[in-house]
Amino acid sequence: METSLVLFSQLNMCESKEKTFFRLMHGSGKEETSKEAKTRVLLEEAKKWGESFDKLLSHRDGLEAFTRFLKTEFSEENIEFWKACEDFKKIKEPQQITCQARAIFEKFIQNDAPQEVNLDFHTKEVITKSITHPTLHSFDAAQSRVYQLMEQDSYTRFLKSDIYLDLLEGRPRRPTNLRRRSRSFTCSEFQDVKSDVAIWL
């Protein structure tokens, strides 16, 4: 009868059972060091995002954090449009240009688009006329306009947000609160509402 010998490289016979068990269950601590290093690198990067909007958008984690922030304000269509334009300009196949341009137009530009971005009438008109024969630069003016809106408005609020401040201070990611987008009320919504004056009469 043969006896099998199993060797555990992590076991030290001089250690107490509790210490050995804890080390096997939780690792040697190297993983934690790696996690701390990643957090430190992210913190260094996050500091640079406060220097300029370009630095924020050029870093993958910065872009992800900014997108999360825009979702809390229900304005993520701006960054989604900006990203779609960046991808559009990289298209190599001429056949894909028309197809992708139409998709971007229908999703972000046309009236009542599902993620319509806020553009002036002239910019919209130029894109609408050129959509039948688009080029890689068809959305440049619109992308520039949306970029300016985000830089002047959303970016300044992002730098004061919990999402950004948590990254700067190395705090764990917390659930984000969604801000309700304001909307206008119509007269029809108040047809069945009795005025306070009627109640007191």
Side-chain angles (χ1 to χ4, degrees):
M1 183 175 174
E2 292 181 11
T3 305
S4 300
L5 179 63
V6 180
L7 296 175
F8 293 95
S9 58
Q10 290 186 327
L11 294 181
N12 179 350
M13 295 304 173
C14 298
E15 275 186 338
S16 69
K17 288 178 187 174
E18 291 82 5
K19 259 188 174 178
T20 304
F21 178 76
F22 183 84
R23 207 152 49 81
L24 287 171
M25 292 303 291
H26 299 284
S28 59
K30 289 177 183 173
E31 297 84 82
E32 192 59 38
T33 307
S34 171
K35 190 177 177 182
E36 286 172 5
K38 283 179 187 174
T39 303
R40 188 175 42 77
V41 169
L42 184 58
L43 195 144
E44 291 302 314
E45 287 299 327
K47 286 178 184 173
K48 293 176 188 173
W49 305 341
E51 295 171 13
S52 77
F53 190 44
D54 277 334
K55 286 184 180 177
L56 173 69
L57 295 187
S58 63
H59 194 275
R60 189 194 65 193
D61 291 326
L63 186 58
E64 190 270 335
F66 187 61
T67 302
R68 271 196 299 126
F69 169 73
L70 290 183
K71 283 179 181 176
T72 67
E73 299 204 324
F74 298 97
S75 60
E76 68 269 23
E77 69 275 1
N78 292 321
I79 197 66
E80 295 299 336
F81 173 69
W82 183 85
K83 288 191 284 190
C85 291
E86 288 296 291
D87 292 339
F88 178 74
K89 289 187 278 191
K90 296 172 189 168
I91 293 175
K92 301 283 188 233
E93 299 292 321
Q95 309 94 291
Q96 286 186 338
I97 293 174
T98 304
C99 179
Q100 197 60 33
R102 173 58 62 184
I104 291 172
F105 178 77
E106 289 174 359
K107 186 175 182 181
F108 299 104
I109 308 292
Q110 73 181 11
N111 292 331
D112 299 320
Q115 288 189 277
E116 188 178 356
V117 290
N118 187 9
L119 296 172
D120 60 275
F121 176 78
H122 175 70
T123 305
K124 265 187 152 180
E125 197 68 15
V126 170
I127 294 171
T128 304
K129 286 177 181 175
S130 71
I131 203 67
T132 49
H133 301 289
T135 69
L136 291 178
H137 301 287
S138 289
F139 299 105
D140 284 0
Q143 186 186 19
S144 177
R145 173 73 182 138
V146 168
Y147 178 94
Q148 286 174 349
L149 285 171
M150 291 191 295
E151 183 180 35
Q152 293 165 7
D153 187 31
S154 307
Y155 175 59
T156 53
R157 285 200 306 279
F158 168 75
L159 295 179
K160 297 171 187 171
S161 72
D162 287 337
I163 290 174
Y164 181 60
L165 296 176
D166 285 350
L167 283 169
L168 275 186
E169 295 169 23
R171 292 192 295 242
R173 182 170 162 174
R174 62 174 113 169
T176 50
N177 294 321
L178 300 180
R179 255 178 55 180
R180 182 170 291 182
R181 184 179 255 174
S182 63
R183 66 184 185 93
S184 301
F185 292 100
T186 60
C187 293
S188 61
E189 291 179 85
F190 292 101
Q191 283 178 352
D192 297 324
V193 178
K194 294 179 181 176
S195 76
D196 289 342
V197 177
I199 294 168
W200 292 104
L201 291 176

